Amino acid sequence: MESKKNDNYHDKQNIQNIQKMRDVLDTLPGFCKQFFRGITDYTSTRTRLAYAYDVRVFFEYLHERNPYCAKMEITDYPISLLDQLTREDIEEYLEYLSYYEKDGQIYTNDERGKKRKLSALRSFYNYYFQSELIKNNPAVLVPLPKLHEKEIIRLDADEVAILLDQVEDGSNLTEAQKRYHQVTKIRDVALLTLLLGTGIRVSECVGLDIDDVDFKNNGIKIRRKGGYEAVVYFGDEVEAALYDYYEKRKHVIPQTGHENAFFLSMQNRRISVRAVENMVKKYSSTVTNLKKITPHKLRSTYGTSLYRETGDIYLVADVLGHKDVNTTKKHYAALEDERRRSAANKVRLREKPSKEEP
């Protein structure tokens, strides 16, 4: 039976991830397929692909550094190998991740990279241990690296205004950039205004279809992490910028397969995440050199502004699509403390005596 053609961005991404996943599985031990089938129901294709890459790094390390493992191909490793490894083997693997070379390229991992790879390995081991296919679980004995809190980078209110002004006039761009700017200005203003005015993720932005934008109710339908759909509403500034671009978009003939995409590249294809990241970098570098601004930093900027205006952390969590409000609280802990401090002098216990006239 022939499948129905689907132009949905997120469905296409899932198909690409599944295809990449199959390619990675062909390089892993045969027993690994059981693990990835076992976690299918509660993980996204993107998460499973990331796990597969991380698990492959682990087996490549064993093949390179472990004398026993070096004697056979990775695809021939038996599941009994997992029982032969010890806590020390896992700890040495974490140390290896700090710096290693592969195919002439150097790779490094900070504490966050190591934590992610160890978390993947823990899930991997835990699956077989709970399924009673192995007797030992050394991965759980190795503590996750402690993360040092990173300062949350966001744009100040005046920087937001300067950024949008720069997107409109492009005066600080290079001569080469200015030539492209004349063609992409209306789109770039709409895209940056949308990110700053709604706090949506860059993947949610590039995944927008024409039918997802509702100018009657000033809302957009997006696909959140986890696959569920949500409606996010936008204000007048976003509406004006989006509508200007939409009017221009209606006269563009997209390439086949990209007819439904709202934001198009200069090649009239659905704009990519990488293209948006490069766009943000290009314009933000004309505003500030001290802050490394990415689309996610624009999301943080919106969340900060919304929290300062409303003081409602639950509203911020809901609008940003955080499933757990504690995630939101962690990101805006400094603002929470700022608000708590402001409460210190809000309640007066006794009237302050007035000074008597001399």
Side-chain angles (χ1 to χ4, degrees):
M1 181 177 176
E2 189 174 332
S3 62
K4 183 180 177 182
K5 180 184 174 184
N6 196 330
D7 185 40
N8 182 280
Y9 167 79
H10 300 283
D11 291 339
K12 282 186 173 182
Q13 290 297 114
N14 284 334
I15 291 172
Q16 289 178 14
N17 289 339
I18 290 170
Q19 291 172 333
K20 290 178 182 177
M21 180 79 185
R22 288 172 180 168
D23 291 340
V24 177
L25 281 175
D26 287 341
T27 67
L28 293 176
F31 65 85
C32 293
K33 292 180 180 178
Q34 183 177 348
F35 165 69
F36 288 103
R37 283 198 303 269
I39 65 173
T40 297
D41 290 342
Y42 56 90
T43 55
S44 66
T45 58
R46 182 180 177 182
T47 296
R48 292 196 296 280
L49 181 59
Y51 274 16
Y53 285 138
D54 288 342
V55 168
R56 184 166 67 179
V57 171
F58 177 64
F59 283 117
E60 287 174 342
Y61 158 77
L62 292 176
H63 190 264
E64 179 185 333
R65 297 299 182 95
N66 187 297
Y68 169 77
C69 296
K71 296 176 182 178
M72 65 185 92
E73 295 297 323
I74 292 176
T75 50
D76 295 331
Y77 289 173
I79 193 171
S80 58
L81 170 65
L82 299 182
D83 260 329
Q84 298 175 38
L85 300 175
T86 65
R87 171 177 178 166
E88 186 176 3
D89 290 316
I90 308 296
E91 290 173 338
E92 288 178 351
Y93 166 61
L94 283 186
E95 194 280 327
Y96 164 83
L97 289 174
S98 298
Y99 176 94
Y100 65 96
E101 295 183 29
K102 178 185 174 183
D103 300 329
Q105 188 170 345
I106 294 174
Y107 294 86
T108 61
N109 284 273
D110 60 11
E111 58 208 9
R112 293 178 185 276
K114 290 181 181 180
K115 182 176 181 180
R116 194 195 74 190
K117 286 181 170 59
L118 179 55
S119 295
L121 196 58
R122 277 184 166 191
S123 297
F124 184 71
Y125 253 96
N126 199 46
Y127 173 82
Y128 295 108
F129 184 72
Q130 290 189 342
S131 300
E132 298 182 334
L133 296 172
I134 57 175
K135 296 179 181 179
N136 302 311
N137 189 358
V140 78
L141 301 176
V142 180
L144 292 170
K146 185 177 180 181
L147 301 184
H148 295 89
E149 288 300 322
K150 279 185 165 183
E151 180 187 2
I152 296 179
I153 299 173
R154 51 177 74 87
L155 291 171
D156 298 328
D158 62 323
E159 291 174 327
V160 170
I162 295 171
L163 174 62
L164 291 176
D165 287 344
Q166 186 55 223
V167 179
E168 284 189 337
D169 65 44
S171 57
N172 291 333
L173 298 176
T174 65
E175 291 305 314
Q177 289 173 336
K178 285 178 181 178
R179 287 195 291 272
Y180 289 112
H181 179 257
Q182 293 304 313
V183 180
T184 65
K185 178 175 70 172
I186 295 177
R187 181 203 65 187
D188 296 353
V189 170
L191 209 153
L192 270 293
T193 303
L194 178 64
L195 291 174
L196 283 163
T198 62
I200 62 173
R201 297 177 176 90
V202 63
S203 60
E204 297 163 350
C205 178
V206 303
L208 278 177
D209 285 340
I210 292 174
D211 292 341
D212 293 331
V213 183
D214 178 5
F215 287 107
K216 181 179 179 181
N217 298 296
N218 278 15
I220 51 173
K221 183 174 68 177
I222 58 174
R223 184 86 69 91
R224 290 291 196 191
K225 283 174 68 176
Y228 71 96
E229 291 184 341
V231 175
V232 173
Y233 296 96
F234 52 79
D236 296 341
E237 289 178 283
V238 176
E239 178 194 16
L242 285 182
Y243 195 77
D244 282 348
Y245 171 69
Y246 177 62
E247 285 296 302
K248 181 180 179 182
R249 167 69 179 82
K250 286 191 292 187
H251 301 288
V252 176
I253 301 175
Q255 289 196 27
T256 303
H258 300 265
E259 294 87 351
N260 295 334
F262 188 77
F263 287 112
L264 296 175
S265 68
M266 290 185 66
Q267 292 75 38
N268 293 336
R269 302 168 62 88
R270 185 185 294 274
I271 198 167
S272 67
V273 169
R274 178 63 60 85
V276 176
E277 290 173 341
N278 289 337
M279 181 198 307
V280 171
K281 180 180 179 181
K282 176 180 70 176
Y283 288 117
S284 63
S285 65
T286 67
V287 176
T288 173
N289 291 321
L290 299 179
K291 299 176 181 178
K292 184 181 178 183
I293 302 301
T294 64
H296 194 76
K297 302 299 188 295
L298 302 186
R299 180 170 159 82
S300 296
T301 298
Y302 172 79
T304 301
S305 299
L306 182 61
Y307 185 53
R308 280 192 169 134
E309 288 295 323
T310 65
D312 188 341
I313 198 70
Y314 292 93
L315 174 63
V316 176
D318 183 45
V319 173
L320 292 181
H322 290 162
K323 291 182 178 179
D324 186 352
V325 73
N326 288 318
T327 301
T328 320
K329 287 181 176 179
K330 181 178 70 175
H331 282 88
Y332 300 98
L335 295 179
E336 283 271 84
D337 187 63
E338 184 181 302
R339 293 188 75 246
R340 284 194 294 268
R341 286 177 180 273
S342 72
N345 293 313
K346 295 295 185 186
V347 178
R348 190 166 299 285
L349 305 180
R350 291 188 293 175
E351 285 298 321
K352 192 173 181 180
S354 59
K355 293 182 179 181
E356 294 183 4
E357 292 291 331

